[in-house]
Amino acid sequence: MSDEDLVITDNEFLRQFETQINNELATIEYSQQERKIFLTKLRMPENSEDRQEDFIKAVLAEIKERNTRVVPTSPEIAGFIRRNRRKYKDLLPVGINI
């Protein structure tokens, strides 16, 4: 399975991106200010850590389509962006280094 298989929903009421993994809900909570989105908390179902990167990639692709900058305050998401810096550095606001 790849990130293309994940269907990402933006639950604006709860301010979180959601997807189903193994029939359970995975979420990334966010807050939005101006042209930035702060990814604040990642919640994955138990025994689905192998899908975590796919979920993060899919959410970052969704944000990129919106032409919005990302400020990852969740340690897992910040770590993912740090490991994939070349691919995602254009999503970070000017002056933010991860």
Side-chain angles (χ1 to χ4, degrees):
M1 249 190 189
S2 70
D3 52 313
E4 285 82 38
D5 300 328
L6 293 177
V7 176
I8 304 298
T9 306
D10 182 356
N11 183 332
E12 292 182 18
F13 180 71
L14 294 176
R15 290 194 309 276
Q16 63 188 18
F17 293 102
E18 304 171 339
T19 193
Q20 291 288 325
I21 297 177
N22 304 331
N23 294 320
E24 292 189 55
L25 189 66
T27 63
I28 294 178
E29 293 177 14
Y30 67 83
S31 65
Q32 197 149 10
Q33 297 173 6
E34 296 156 21
R35 304 283 301 141
K36 293 188 207 73
I37 189 161
F38 293 77
L39 302 179
T40 56
K41 190 172 202 174
L42 170 69
R43 275 201 209 94
M44 295 293 293
E46 279 187 41
N47 304 319
S48 65
E49 290 75 25
D50 58 325
R51 301 300 316 277
Q52 180 171 305
E53 289 207 349
D54 293 337
F55 182 35
I56 294 171
K57 283 181 195 171
V59 167
L60 292 175
E62 170 74 24
I63 292 168
K64 186 173 188 150
E65 278 183 25
R66 297 179 185 187
N67 203 19
T68 300
R69 299 286 182 200
V70 172
V71 180
T73 58
S74 155
E76 299 92 346
I77 298 169
F80 173 82
I81 290 177
R82 188 177 302 115
R83 288 190 303 278
N84 299 279
R85 187 176 286 129
R86 284 200 175 92
K87 183 170 183 183
Y88 295 109
K89 70 177 185 227
D90 58 327
L91 282 177
L92 297 172
V94 174
I96 298 280
N97 289 313
I98 301 242

